[in-house]
Amino acid sequence: MNKSQVITLLVASNVFLVSLLYVSNYWNIHWPVESIPHGHINKESEYVNPFKVYEEYPIDLVNASAIFNTVHGALKQKDANLNPVGVSFIPAYIPPNTRFYHSTGSPEIPESFEWIAMEYEFSYAFAQFQKPQNSTKPPPFPKKPPGAPESGNKHKHLPFFGDAYLYSFRTTRALDKVILLDGASAAKYSPLMDQQMILSRQKNTSAPVDERIAAEKICDWGQSFGLQGIIRLEIGFEIIVCDFQRDLELISNVTLDTTIDTLSIPSGSDGSAPLIKKFSAQDSFENLRMSSYVNDGDRRIKLDFSKMVTPLNKTYIDPNPFARNISYIDNELKEDIIGELETFYATTKIDPYETTDWQVVTGLIENKFGPLFDTINKTFTFFNGSEESLEILGEDLLTLTFNFKRRYNDINHHIDRDQYGFNSSILDYVHHTYPLQHNDILIYSSIFKVQFEISTMMFDIYNLGRDIVDKVSDLEVLKQRVAIKQKELVEFLDILRWTIFVDCTEKCGLNSVCYVPTWGPSPFGWGQRNEKFFDNIDGVYSISKNLQCVDFDDLLALRHQW
Ligand SMILES: *[C@@H]1O[C@H](CO)[C@@H](O)[C@H](O)[C@H]1NC(C)=O
Ligand SMILES: *[C@@H]1O[C@H](CO)[C@@H](O)[C@H](O)[C@H]1NC(C)=O
Ligand SMILES: *[C@@H]1O[C@H](CO)[C@@H](O)[C@H](O)[C@H]1NC(C)=O
Ligand SMILES: *[C@@H]1O[C@H](CO)[C@@H](O)[C@H](O)[C@H]1NC(C)=O
Ligand SMILES: *[C@@H]1O[C@H](CO)[C@@H](O)[C@H](O)[C@H]1NC(C)=O
Ligand SMILES: *[C@@H]1O[C@H](CO)[C@@H](O)[C@H](O)[C@H]1NC(C)=O
Ligand SMILES: *[C@@H]1O[C@H](CO)[C@@H](O)[C@H](O)[C@H]1NC(C)=O
Ligand SMILES: *[C@@H]1O[C@H](CO)[C@@H](O)[C@H](O)[C@H]1NC(C)=O
Ligand SMILES: *[C@@H]1O[C@H](CO)[C@@H](O)[C@H](O)[C@H]1NC(C)=O
């Protein structure tokens, strides 16, 4: 496909064209202006073959995989915690009448920007249960442990004392100028706050991000194009709403009584009531439960991936999403990100409805091939070098890949049948729905690259299995081929880094939660300081593949320790 064909498909209107040209300058993509046709494209029939897009805009597997995972994991609690250092900016859209929750000690609606939670349990936790005797009463979350990284933030959303108001708001109209910062972007630590560092144009990149200052600067920056807020993940999704007065309406205002007074809960000898600990643990548990409900995505919020802005594939970024950071990237690239976002919000419509929902595409791929690769990976480990074991391995590898191969093997296709089947297996999975626009090209090419490598691996393993079963060569040669392919698969899965491989080893009951640890303050303490849930490999904290079920008792036990 030549560029003019790409353009044909990209140009939906003249307005769009202007923005496209403007945006493309940022990434130095020079579109041939003279060849751009006028008029509208036919939404029903346009289809761009991903082979052609990839040919024009290639991408290496590591970058492609990072983009695949960014798209696949966006607005999913589990994926965000497993890829905690987010580096991308994804335009979001929130329908009218969506509920937001805010608990506060103030009897007024916030004058300017403030935080809201998507779950009321999250916001309610800030209100406390007992009117404290004095202001040194411990907050519901434990204090930052000694030695934890300084965040320097003065988060106003800290537990407050005295009267507590629980406010519920509704959005008075669709919010279409909201940015999702992927990863655990409200976890208070560097580098999880790097996207906010960039948007707030923080000069000292080694200083922590003060999230209140950053929020103010970001909302100020967004005034010119009407930014309504930024979505982040702490122990649940929360939004910094830039203007409560403009975009929200108060629909419920509950002044909380202090439980200990109303229900005449018996006090312990130290003046505290043991039952209060239970109430608090129960609230935390319900909060975790509702957060795990959005492990697969928060459907209250929609995303427009075509306008996703990311430094991925623009510069080197560590492929390990636990270790990467973007504080160091060139200032020019940082300004490009800011400029591209401004352009999208100022000149285009954020539209999650008539743009391709790439999570549908990545979801089919990950759910189809994740379990297969996991089984194949385990199958290799059972091989012990004996002839009998090799035979078993051959049959197993063939069994796991045979149907995939056969399903694309058209006997009427006489020329290049294998290649044809291989191509078809990619085209089956990699397609767009609505016409490609803006940064869809980057995503489309990335998903193509990932699926290309998946199909290659599946066909290779099929061939290996068949050759073992057919005994095409002697034992030693086959054993060598097995060792090579096994190594390739392990390396490939390491690059894919799919979250489907991370799970609880047993199914948790209804009264427990498969807990994906969060990175900031949480009912379990401050993120990575909790060794029960985090690994520390050479100073880099990460989350291991085996998650644990947690329940009310686990939370209560901790409350007794504080
Ligand atoms: C990825 O980056 C390379 C190098 O800058 C560029 O040539 C290529 O077009 C980019 N790929 C996509 C899909 O944008
Ligand atoms: C909520 O109700 C309390 C009690 O009536 C009142 O003092 C407070 O101002 C109200 N808050 C708002 C934002 O209306
Ligand atoms: C507040 O509580 C702390 C810790 O329990 C105690 O040391 C302090 O004396 C108390 N202050 C007042 C004014 O009661
Ligand atoms: C940048 O921040 C670091 C860490 O807080 C601090 O040590 C350093 O002095 C700051 N640099 C400047 C120029 O302010
Ligand atoms: C990703 O793409 C960019 C631009 O082409 C390149 O500089 C970088 O090395 C690639 N790989 C990673 C891991 O960032
Ligand atoms: C950020 O990443 C770059 C490139 O991998 C690295 O050189 C730098 O040390 C990292 N900085 C921090 C604060 O982690
Ligand atoms: C694949 O198997 C190897 C052992 O051969 C293991 O180390 C690796 O973690 C497995 N990969 C996945 C994604 O399960
Ligand atoms: C290797 O595996 C085969 C098949 O499972 C088994 O029969 C054999 O005993 C194993 N040999 C060794 C040395 O473990
Ligand atoms: C497979 O796709 C490639 C890239 O579009 C093309 O060059 C090749 O001819 C195709 N092969 C067959 C047999 O369809």
Side-chain angles (χ1 to χ4, degrees):
M1 175 162 58
N2 61 37
K3 279 190 179 160
S4 73
Q5 281 169 302
V6 174
I7 289 295
T8 313
L9 298 158
L10 288 171
V11 177
S13 69
N14 289 336
V15 173
F16 172 70
L17 169 59
V18 171
S19 66
L20 175 70
L21 290 170
Y22 187 35
V23 169
S24 65
N25 283 338
Y26 286 109
W27 308 125
N28 300 319
I29 299 169
H30 295 294
W31 307 90
V33 183
E34 66 285 357
S35 62
I36 296 169
H38 296 284
H40 293 262
I41 57 163
N42 180 350
K43 281 190 180 165
E44 270 70 54
S45 61
E46 287 300 352
Y47 167 70
V48 186
N49 185 320
F51 276 94
K52 304 272 168 65
V53 171
Y54 179 77
E55 216 170 276
E56 193 89 7
Y57 302 101
I59 185 162
D60 62 274
L61 179 62
V62 172
N63 272 303
S65 174
I67 286 164
F68 183 103
N69 289 338
T70 300
V71 168
H72 184 71
L75 206 61
K76 295 179 182 170
Q77 170 111 6
K78 175 184 176 186
D79 292 59
N81 283 316
L82 293 173
N83 295 274
V85 184
V87 299
S88 300
F89 305 79
I90 307 174
Y93 179 103
I94 304 171
N97 292 316
T98 300
R99 266 55 178 161
F100 290 164
Y101 304 98
H102 181 72
S103 88
T104 176
S106 160
E108 311 291 339
I109 293 175
E111 288 285 307
S112 61
F113 67 91
E114 251 300 341
W115 281 254
I116 63 92
M118 293 303 291
E119 322 297 346
Y120 83 71
E121 294 85 351
F122 178 14
S123 111
Y124 172 85
F126 286 95
Q128 307 238 49
F129 287 89
Q130 282 166 279
K131 205 167 259 177
Q133 312 308 317
N134 76 31
S135 63
T136 58
K137 199 82 183 165
F141 299 147
K143 285 212 181 69
K144 194 162 68 72
E150 276 303 328
S151 75
N153 82 81
K154 294 173 202 69
H155 195 331
K156 203 177 164 188
H157 208 168
L158 284 172
F160 38 81
F161 310 98
D163 282 341
Y165 305 98
L166 296 188
Y167 295 149
S168 304
F169 292 91
R170 72 175 186 96
T171 50
T172 48
R173 57 196 165 114
L175 305 189
D176 61 356
K177 298 194 173 188
V178 183
I179 307 172
L180 167 69
L181 306 181
D182 69 335
S185 44
K188 323 280 185 267
Y189 292 91
S190 285
L192 298 111
M193 308 277 287
D194 279 1
Q195 294 132 304
Q196 287 156 89
M197 181 188 279
I198 290 177
L199 290 185
S200 66
R201 291 190 163 104
Q202 183 175 314
K203 290 205 179 62
N204 187 347
T205 54
S206 38
V209 173
D210 178 319
E211 65 176 354
R212 232 188 140 72
I213 292 174
E216 185 164 9
K217 285 193 174 159
I218 292 168
C219 286
D220 278 353
W221 159 69
Q223 266 186 4
S224 66
F225 58 86
L227 181 71
Q228 291 152 327
I230 56 176
I231 306 169
R232 320 183 305 166
L233 182 76
E234 196 202 56
I235 64 170
F237 287 105
E238 60 173 42
I239 304 177
I240 298 175
V241 175
C242 284
D243 189 343
F244 269 63
Q245 314 276 340
R246 183 188 58 194
D247 298 316
L248 306 184
E249 181 182 285
L250 183 69
I251 52 170
S252 160
N253 167 14
V254 173
T255 309
L256 284 189
D257 209 337
T258 43
T259 324
I260 195 157
D261 301 334
T262 21
L263 301 181
S264 52
I265 306 294
S267 294
S269 52
D270 61 350
S272 73
L275 248 182
I276 298 285
K277 288 190 178 9
K278 290 195 176 178
F279 298 158
S280 158
Q282 182 65 19
D283 177 58
S284 294
F285 177 61
E286 287 178 40
N287 192 175
L288 293 189
R289 252 188 336 104
M290 295 318 289
S291 300
S292 75
Y293 169 66
V294 295
N295 272 346
D296 272 339
D298 189 331
R299 298 184 61 194
R300 288 167 289 192
I301 303 173
K302 321 256 172 235
L303 300 171
D304 177 350
F305 288 108
S306 70
K307 286 135 206 151
M308 175 172 101
V309 175
T310 180
L312 291 166
N313 199 49
K314 308 277 178 342
T315 186
Y316 175 83
I317 292 174
D318 191 328
N320 179 354
F322 294 109
R324 68 189 173 185
N325 75 79
I326 48 168
S327 58
Y328 70 93
I329 63 173
D330 281 355
N331 231 20
E332 204 182 321
L333 185 48
K334 289 179 179 170
E335 286 301 320
D336 285 351
I337 287 171
I338 295 173
E340 195 179 18
L341 284 166
E342 280 172 9
T343 305
F344 281 145
Y345 283 102
T347 63
T348 72
K349 185 166 163 274
I350 301 306
D351 180 2
Y353 297 106
E354 294 204 3
T355 47
T356 297
D357 181 352
W358 292 109
Q359 287 188 342
V360 170
V361 181
T362 58
L364 280 170
I365 293 173
E366 191 157 329
N367 282 280
K368 167 74 180 180
F369 299 100
L372 279 173
F373 282 142
D374 187 57
T375 312
I376 293 169
N377 196 34
K378 289 196 173 85
T379 302
F380 273 120
T381 64
F382 298 138
F383 175 55
N384 67 14
S386 74
E387 199 167 343
E388 190 195 350
S389 179
L390 185 66
E391 266 174 41
I392 295 171
L393 176 69
E395 285 187 10
D396 287 350
L397 294 182
L398 200 51
T399 303
L400 288 161
T401 51
F402 177 82
N403 296 307
F404 183 70
K405 170 76 182 179
R406 178 168 175 249
R407 183 252 173 284
Y408 295 107
N409 195 53
D410 182 359
I411 56 166
N412 289 317
H413 215 93
H414 298 290
I415 305 155
D416 270 348
R417 188 184 300 153
D418 283 352
Q419 183 63 41
Y420 179 78
F422 174 76
N423 284 12
S424 310
S425 77
I426 296 169
L427 296 176
D428 217 6
Y429 285 92
V430 186
H431 58 88
H432 59 99
T433 53
Y434 288 95
L436 297 173
Q437 305 170 34
H438 306 282
N439 293 335
D440 275 337
I441 290 283
L442 176 67
I443 299 173
Y444 198 31
S445 185
S446 298
I447 296 177
F448 170 84
K449 175 64 174 174
V450 169
Q451 182 58 44
F452 185 95
E453 299 298 333
I454 290 170
S455 288
T456 303
M457 185 59 77
M458 287 294 288
F459 279 69
D460 279 2
I461 288 169
Y462 165 84
N463 288 334
L464 175 62
R466 191 200 52 203
D467 288 353
I468 295 171
V469 169
D470 288 351
K471 298 194 168 65
V472 296
S473 33
D474 66 42
L475 184 65
E476 283 316 308
V477 173
L478 287 171
K479 271 166 73 170
Q480 252 175 32
R481 282 182 58 193
V482 167
I484 291 168
K485 199 48 67 189
Q486 177 178 18
K487 185 164 172 285
E488 280 176 14
L489 178 67
V490 173
E491 285 167 4
F492 182 49
L493 297 184
D494 273 352
I495 294 174
L496 290 185
R497 289 183 167 275
W498 282 352
T499 54
I500 200 171
F501 299 129
V502 181
D503 209 345
C504 284
T505 43
E506 298 164 15
K507 187 169 175 2
C508 309
L510 262 188
N511 57 356
S512 78
V513 161
C514 180
Y515 180 56
V516 188
T518 58
W519 293 82
S522 86
F524 284 108
W526 268 79
Q528 64 255 55
R529 308 297 295 183
N530 192 327
E531 283 158 21
K532 186 168 176 221
F533 299 116
F534 291 86
D535 294 339
N536 179 353
I537 301 158
D538 301 329
V540 176
Y541 285 91
S542 60
I543 297 171
S544 80
K545 273 174 59 179
N546 296 328
L547 302 177
Q548 301 168 47
C549 301
V550 303
D551 61 15
F552 169 81
D553 290 331
D554 295 314
L555 289 158
L556 186 62
L558 268 172
R559 284 197 170 40
H560 285 303
Q561 286 167 24
W562 297 341

